Amino acid sequence: MVSQRLQTVPASGTIAISNLVSQMKAEGIDIVSFSMGEPDFTTPSNIIDAACDSLHAGFTHYTPSTGIPELRAAIADYTKRNDNVPCDASNVLVTPTKQAIFMTCLAYIDPGDEVILPDPSWVSYEACVRLAGGVPVYIPTRFEDGFVVDPALIEQAITPRTRMIILNTPTNPTGAVIPKETLKQIADIAIKHDIKVMSDEIYSAIIYEGKHTSMASFPGMFEHTILISGLSKTFAMTGWRLGWAIAPAEDIKNINKLQSHSISCCTSFVQKAAVEALTGPQKSKFDMVAAFRKRRDLALDLISEIPGMECNVPNGAFYLFPKYNKDIPSAKLAEILLKEGHVAVTPGTAFGPGGEGFFRISYATSEDQIQEGIARIRKVLADL
């Protein structure tokens, strides 16, 4: 019998779909997959070369649990320069991004504590909260508002048991970018009630209009924020499994206590590659964002031609979250699309109860695949 703790955790809808897609492809079935949240680009060659050079130089041993000093400094400098966050190397913990989220929840949430998060949102937030014994409190967002969370609803949800607010901007699964004015209102609420904000900013470089605003950049908010980010999306380094947490030094010390007793430290030679990613040429990053914007516009145009479907224009990340007018649960529709149309999408309910009536499309794939996949979606919907 597995632990009660594990029984409270929902399975990952994105991973489940991905595993099924891999199985069907292995059987020789032609699948167009819009299911995985990772760039389809290869990691830039200068980063790969830095890792190879590190290996050949024998940099294959343990590192400090918080990360090598030059990488901590590079992360702090990159974040200060790009996002106006008042941090230095002492405020950085090098760790896989998902691990940072998990450890933050374990470090600051006790059984029965409440954690506020928007609905829909990435399912792993709820999983990490529940594994820590916490209670997720969903704040509904609306299609009509571009899925931007309402600060007034956040404040109304606060109780004496509220320990944390989890935010993600740009957002998975909707691609919404929370406006600076909205973030400031949430910051004021967090300071007023002395609540920590875990701000997942992994998509911060993938923005099409305007500029990213970090929650930790507002006056007085650095002390209340644990900023999570990493290399996966910005530098097409999903398989390298490296990211970071940025927070006050005491918080970094607390979270690192968990790291030292779990993974000990991150992979040594990947840390050298990360230094190159952050300090080396940045052109590939900008080229990738330009390609994503072109794909977004193509996908939106194609979806607009499908009767009964609507989609917001997302300003960041590489996701669309269209709604449909069929009286079919999103999980069932995703199954039909995969089995009958051979196109993989993620059901909206994989991201919380507010995702019913929607599904997620990741347009981190080629333009040809976008055209073919959306054509398949159109055909299946027409036949229902």
Side-chain angles (χ1 to χ4, degrees), residues 259-322:
Q259 174 136 305
S260 65
H261 287 299
S262 54
I263 65 171
S264 297
C265 63
C266 290
T267 305
S268 55
F269 50 87
V270 173
Q271 293 187 56
K272 289 288 190 178
V275 174
E276 173 63 22
L278 296 171
T279 63
Q282 302 292 297
K283 183 178 183 299
S284 60
K285 174 176 70 177
F286 300 122
D287 289 347
M288 184 173 67
V289 173
F292 282 146
R293 178 170 188 158
K294 187 178 178 184
R295 295 172 182 183
R296 178 201 67 171
D297 293 345
L298 171 63
L300 285 170
D301 286 345
L302 293 171
I303 287 173
S304 71
E305 297 172 358
I306 301 177
M309 282 190 67
E310 293 182 73
C311 192
N312 288 313
V313 179
N315 287 330
F318 38 71
Y319 306 112
L320 301 179
F321 204 61

Side-chain angles (χ1 to χ4, degrees), residues 28-284:
I29 301 172
D30 173 33
I31 303 292
V32 174
S33 181
F34 294 141
S35 63
M36 281 302 285
E38 68 169 338
D40 59 318
F41 299 94
T42 301
T43 304
S45 58
N46 62 305
I47 300 172
I48 295 173
D49 290 344
C52 293
D53 291 346
S54 175
L55 284 166
H56 290 306
F59 196 73
T60 57
H61 302 279
Y62 289 133
T63 73
S65 61
T66 51
I68 59 176
E70 57 265 46
L71 177 55
R72 297 178 76 195
I75 292 167
D77 181 66
Y78 182 89
T79 307
K80 185 185 300 182
R81 184 175 67 252
N82 288 284
D83 300 323
N84 197 33
V85 175
C87 59
D88 59 33
S90 69
N91 302 122
V92 176
L93 172 65
V94 177
T95 186
T97 305
K98 222 170 186 179
Q99 178 85 352
I101 294 167
F102 180 51
M103 293 192 301
T104 297
C105 289
L106 287 182
Y108 292 103
I109 299 170
D110 284 321
D113 286 346
E114 296 174 353
V115 178
I116 293 173
L117 60 163
D119 178 22
S121 61
W122 185 45
V123 69
S124 288
Y125 301 135
E126 177 185 340
C128 291
V129 169
R130 291 191 182 280
L131 284 168
V135 179
V137 177
Y138 277 115
I139 304 299
T141 62
R142 304 192 323 143
F143 175 84
E144 294 78 10
D145 299 327
F147 296 107
V148 173
V149 66
D150 184 345
L153 294 180
I154 289 179
E155 184 147 36
Q156 289 173 20
I158 292 174
T159 75
R161 297 294 302 178
T162 304
R163 288 294 302 275
M164 184 180 291
I165 300 168
I166 296 179
L167 294 178
N168 173 216
T169 181
T171 304
N172 176 12
T174 68
V177 175
I178 303 176
K180 182 176 182 179
E181 298 75 17
T182 304
L183 288 171
K184 177 62 168 64
Q185 293 177 58
I186 298 172
D188 291 343
I189 291 167
I191 292 171
K192 174 184 173 182
H193 294 278
D194 193 21
I195 297 171
K196 283 189 180 298
V197 175
M198 180 165 66
S199 184
D200 181 355
E201 303 178 19
I202 189 70
Y203 298 98
S204 63
I206 306 176
I207 287 190
Y208 309 116
E209 286 84 27
K211 188 178 184 299
H212 172 69
T213 299
S214 173
M215 176 58 77
S217 67
F218 293 107
M221 265 310 288
F222 185 77
E223 292 74 19
H224 288 80
T225 305
I226 297 174
L227 190 164
I228 309 293
S229 194
L231 303 167
S232 292
K233 317 300 182 180
T234 304
F235 296 98
M237 294 177 67
T238 52
W240 299 69
R241 312 313 296 144
L242 198 71
W244 54 81
I246 296 177
E250 186 63 24
D251 290 319
I252 294 299
K253 179 181 176 182
N254 293 336
I255 300 170
N256 186 50
K257 187 184 294 185
L258 288 167
Q259 174 136 305
S260 65
H261 287 299
S262 54
I263 65 171
S264 297
C265 63
C266 290
T267 305
S268 55
F269 50 87
V270 173
Q271 293 187 56
K272 289 288 190 178
V275 174
E276 173 63 22
L278 296 171
T279 63
Q282 302 292 297
K283 183 178 183 299
S284 60

